[in-house]
Amino acid sequence: MDEQTARREIVRVGKLMYERSYVVSSDGNISVRLDDGRIVATPTQVSKGRMTEEMLAVTDSDGKPLTDKRASSELAMHLLIYREREDARAVCHAHPPHGSAFAVAGLAIDQPILSEVILTLGCVPLAEYGTPSTDELTDAMRPLVKHHNALLMANHGAVAYGADVWQAFDRLETLEHTAKIAILSRALGGARNLPPDSIEKLIDIREKAGYLDERGRCQSCGYLHETKIVCPTGERATVNTSSATKTSTNGAGKIFLSRDELIELLVEAARTQKID
Ligand SMILES: [Zn+2]
């Protein structure tokens, strides 16, 4: 892609992200990797709703500025993705409310609840918390980037990437839509998960149609363990959510509590009974 087209498309996607409330104020950032390896990125401290083409920064593949415009302080996250994923040509980072609610609650979007999502995106893991614009954040994301096309970052937000800026944006949109449906379904009594044989059929379809290749078999989704799907390289992404997920529910309506939380609940129940 040439620089002028990249500038135009980044501005269009920025407006969409702002209008859909995926970002507020000067939150979020977008970048595109050009054919010659240079990166066009959103500037620091500019609202994505009021951004114009000439405001964008251009850097080399290591993030070194090539113009007088300063790129977003979170460019390191984008550079990590471009290094880990040869196929990634664009990155969109935002704080969409429903997806970010999962990230704040310490939950991944990893239940098999929507057929289309298994076909086009797969699961979205939760990277442990890392201070934005530091190595902490990129270190937490690194093990997950290879097999997933979108990630949640604990107590922060979401990032999605793809072959162009529209695919990256579409993935971010799917992430947010899935999180919203998951939250709404909980209000209706909880989501019902798809059974393993249905998941296997969907994975077969997505590979034949070219929506996701075999790398998707190595995603961190717990439900892949329940199927006959095997990660061909044997290097399935795993997520350490022990510090982030103290209490979580899955779509089958099971509740997981730590020993201390269970004791606290029982004590509370006993105390309430006495008062009554
Ligand atoms: Zn952010």
Side-chain angles (χ1 to χ4, degrees):
M1 180 180 287
D2 67 90
E3 185 181 329
Q4 214 42 52
T5 311
R7 284 178 183 267
R8 192 169 59 240
E9 294 195 343
I10 288 172
V11 168
R12 285 178 67 195
V13 167
K15 280 202 170 62
L16 270 177
M17 287 203 332
Y18 183 77
E19 283 162 10
R20 294 186 184 210
S21 298
Y22 292 1
V23 288
V24 295
S25 183
S26 59
D27 291 353
N29 31 76
I30 307 160
S31 73
V32 166
R33 173 160 59 179
L34 302 175
D35 294 340
D36 61 14
R38 287 179 303 142
I39 313 282
V40 182
T42 50
T44 185
Q45 293 175 335
V46 170
S47 163
K48 305 305 162 293
R50 301 192 292 272
M51 191 172 61
T52 58
E53 291 178 27
E54 58 281 2
M55 290 179 182
L56 300 181
V58 184
T59 77
D60 69 9
S61 57
D62 294 320
K64 200 170 130 254
L66 298 175
T67 66
D68 61 349
K69 303 286 189 302
R70 238 176 80 212
S72 159
S73 59
E74 292 186 291
L75 186 69
M77 178 203 303
H78 298 235
L79 298 178
L80 166 80
I81 291 165
Y82 292 134
R83 270 187 218 114
E84 295 285 313
R85 290 285 295 266
E86 190 55 38
D87 58 326
R89 289 306 181 114
V91 177
C92 290
H93 161 58
H95 308 154
H98 299 88
S100 299
F102 268 74
V104 166
L107 298 170
I109 305 172
D110 63 353
Q111 295 300 315
I113 57 170
L114 287 164
S115 52
E116 293 288 327
V117 176
I118 295 174
L119 282 179
T120 58
L121 184 66
C123 69
V124 182
L126 175 73
E128 283 190 80
Y129 179 74
T131 308
S133 76
T134 70
D135 290 349
E136 281 175 24
L137 180 62
T138 43
D139 287 349
M141 291 169 59
R142 186 170 288 111
L144 302 169
V145 173
K146 198 168 169 189
H147 301 300
H148 298 84
N149 295 311
L151 312 175
L152 290 177
M153 292 164 280
N155 299 89
H156 184 167
V159 63
Y161 32 101
D164 57 49
V165 74
W166 291 109
Q167 188 176 44
F169 176 75
D170 289 347
R171 285 173 169 167
L172 184 70
E173 196 174 36
T174 300
L175 177 161
E176 172 62 359
H177 198 234
T178 307
K180 188 174 181 181
I181 292 169
I183 291 168
L184 289 172
S185 69
R186 284 176 194 194
L188 297 174
R192 289 165 57 187
N193 284 354
L194 286 161
D197 62 325
S198 300
I199 295 166
E200 282 166 23
K201 284 182 202 161
L202 290 166
I203 289 171
D204 187 48
I205 292 168
R206 82 181 182 190
E207 288 177 5
K208 283 189 177 136
Y211 301 139
L212 282 184
D213 62 24
E214 286 196 336
R215 270 179 300 198
R217 291 168 169 239
C218 307
Q219 293 190 341
S220 63
C221 334
Y223 59 78
L224 287 176
H225 298 282
E226 294 158 25
T227 64
K228 296 193 196 82
I229 301 299
V230 177
C231 165
T233 58
E235 39 177 27
R236 199 192 290 275
T238 51
V239 195
N240 176 15
T241 51
S242 56
S243 59
T245 315
K246 280 195 280 176
T247 308
S248 65
T249 58
N250 73 7
K254 289 179 190 159
I255 299 171
F256 300 100
L257 296 172
S258 71
R259 190 172 175 276
D260 288 348
E261 285 165 340
L262 180 62
I263 291 169
E264 203 179 307
L265 259 184
L266 292 171
V267 168
E268 185 60 33
R271 194 184 300 136
T272 313
Q273 266 195 340
K274 260 187 221 160
I275 293 164
D276 287 344

